[in-house]
Amino acid sequence: MLRSTFISLSQNQPLRRFSEGSTLGRRVSSRFVAGMEIEEVLEATEALNRAGIAATLDSLGENVSTPEEAQHSAGIYHQLLDAIAERRLNANASVKLTQMGMDLGEGLAEQIVAGLVEHAAMAGTFLRVDMEGSPYTQATIDMVSRLHKQWPGRVGVVIQSYLYRSQADIERLIGEGIRIRLCKGAYQEPAELAYPEKKDVDANYIRLMQILLKSGIFHGIATHDEAMIAATQQFVREQKIDRSSFEFQMLYGVRRDLQRQLVKDGYGVRVYVPFGTEWYPYFMRRLAERPANVLFLAKNFFRN
Ligand code: FDA
């Protein structure tokens, strides 16, 4: 109930305009957003790297409405990729197709993203295409599959364990040698497409994690759920899987204690670091995942 309220609020345009423009909104969002400027996300990445944690950089924004906006968004990613190479950061980038013009035409988005993958390859790094709501699932997978043929190993995708279709998608992607980030899924989906019950999403997560870790391809296990992490660690032990053959992934500002503990225990950890002025929908999805975050943020706000 609270989850769907926050997800609906994440699409509320007047509230979005108000929040993104207000100093208070920016201050509150800073728990989950590394800053408004490129320099801030680079500093956050350097700090993570010093703690032995890799990063994936996300310039916030989605569903752009003109080709110029899409090109502008891509320009920020080109700057990020240059900075990753120049500063030798242990980092790659994560991008959303709707930010690259997907709603305006798949051809436009593919042309822009192809430029980013090529740049990532030249910079010696990797581009992850985030997964958005189910209307984009098939097109996202198909596009990543085409881009991977051109730049093998330089582009990967995200699969959501709440979707019924995900096992079939994973089998196809593994067959093509494509790197996958496994997450539970952050959008509002109908029961015809996605498991409504958390226990089924979790059971599917574990099933899919096991398929990924046996594939011999480097994947990301993205979760803050201690039960999912424990199930992964147990599977790794039982199957004698090399810890360096995959990584855990978490979001900036979420379970920092667990991120550091995993590094201490010898696991690879990558943190998803978002930045930019268009933080509102991302921020609201984080509140949807854990409504208690509202209390947490309020407490910290008054403490500071
Ligand atoms: P779950 O939501 O069951 O939470 C388990 C526990 O983790 C909670 O009880 C709490 O302790 C902690 N926790 C979870 N979320 C928290 C939060 N926001 N604040 C504080 N504590 C929290 N989704 C998507 O649809 N497309 C995508 O491309 C991505 N990409 C992505 C990248 C990375 C690196 C991560 C970690 C996640 C994503 N996601 C995503 C989001 C993902 O689908 C999911 O919504 C969140 O990760 C929350 O799910 P958990 O697996 O953490 O478990």
Side-chain angles (χ1 to χ4, degrees):
M1 169 63 187
L2 266 176
R3 178 174 189 270
S4 43
T5 307
F6 279 116
I7 290 185
S8 301
L9 283 176
S10 77
Q11 289 146 3
N12 183 311
Q13 289 308 319
L15 195 54
R16 176 178 176 175
R17 273 193 298 278
F18 172 76
S19 307
E20 287 181 348
S22 83
T23 317
L24 177 66
R26 287 176 177 213
R27 219 175 121 189
V28 170
S29 69
S30 66
R31 169 71 199 198
F32 299 119
V33 176
M36 301 295 138
E37 307 295 335
I38 287 191
E39 190 50 39
E40 291 172 281
V41 75
L42 297 176
E43 280 167 19
T45 302
E46 282 168 346
L48 286 166
N49 285 179
R50 282 195 295 276
I53 296 174
T56 185
L57 310 187
D58 169 45
S59 169
L60 289 166
E62 42 205 82
N63 298 98
V64 297
S65 46
T66 65
E68 292 71 32
E69 275 181 78
Q71 296 289 0
H72 174 76
S73 304
I76 298 174
Y77 275 96
H78 283 296
Q79 290 179 48
L80 284 178
L81 291 167
D82 280 337
I84 288 172
E86 277 159 21
R87 299 200 191 190
R88 297 169 188 269
L89 298 175
N90 183 0
N92 59 36
S94 286
V95 71
K96 287 188 173 43
L97 290 187
T98 64
Q99 192 188 8
M100 298 298 134
M102 191 70 167
D103 293 336
L104 309 170
E106 228 178 290
L108 171 72
E110 186 154 346
Q111 188 199 344
I112 292 178
V113 178
L116 293 177
V117 180
E118 186 177 17
H119 192 164
M122 273 160 36
T125 186
F126 171 85
L127 189 78
R128 175 80 60 187
V129 179
D130 285 346
M131 189 58 83
E132 299 177 72
S134 56
Y136 301 102
T137 309
Q138 191 63 48
T140 303
I141 289 174
D142 291 342
M143 192 185 295
V144 170
S145 164
R146 288 190 294 273
L147 294 169
H148 170 80
K149 286 198 183 87
Q150 243 176 313
W151 292 282
R154 296 298 181 177
V155 60
V157 71
V158 178
I159 292 293
Q160 300 150 323
S161 75
Y162 63 18
L163 293 183
Y164 303 131
R165 58 176 288 163
S166 288
Q167 183 166 343
D169 288 335
I170 277 190
E171 280 160 5
R172 167 188 167 181
L173 290 160
I174 285 177
E176 297 179 22
I178 295 176
R179 287 167 59 174
I180 295 169
R181 171 198 296 151
L182 179 64
C183 68
K184 291 191 189 177
Y187 296 81
Q188 193 73 48
E189 299 291 355
E192 303 85 69
L193 300 178
Y195 295 105
E197 302 285 336
K198 175 174 160 58
K199 68 172 177 18
D200 297 319
V201 177
D202 289 356
N204 200 35
Y205 193 99
I206 293 176
R207 236 182 343 261
L208 300 180
M209 170 274 288
Q210 295 181 343
I211 300 174
L212 292 181
L213 294 194
K214 292 290 272 179
S215 71
I217 301 167
F218 190 90
H219 299 295
I221 304 299
T223 182
H224 318 94
D225 187 337
E226 291 188 26
M228 299 301 107
I229 292 170
T232 306
Q233 291 170 319
Q234 186 185 343
F235 190 68
V236 163
R237 267 194 309 276
E238 284 169 3
Q239 301 290 318
K240 301 191 171 25
I241 291 166
D242 192 334
R243 287 181 186 191
S244 65
S245 67
F246 73 99
E247 66 189 7
F248 285 110
Q249 298 187 353
M250 295 193 201
L251 301 176
Y252 182 79
V254 179
R255 293 303 311 266
R256 291 182 285 203
D257 56 333
L258 198 49
Q259 296 170 14
R260 282 170 169 69
Q261 186 58 49
L262 286 168
V263 171
K264 219 165 137 197
D265 293 343
Y267 292 97
V269 177
R270 183 178 303 275
V271 165
Y272 185 103
V273 193
F275 79 104
T277 51
E278 296 180 42
W279 50 265
Y280 177 81
Y282 175 89
F283 179 73
M284 293 307 274
R285 287 199 294 275
R286 303 295 74 86
L287 296 187
E289 282 153 11
R290 189 167 176 262
N293 275 337
V294 176
L295 285 178
F296 170 83
L297 288 169
K299 232 168 48 201
N300 281 283
F301 181 76
F302 289 113
R303 203 178 278 157
N304 288 335

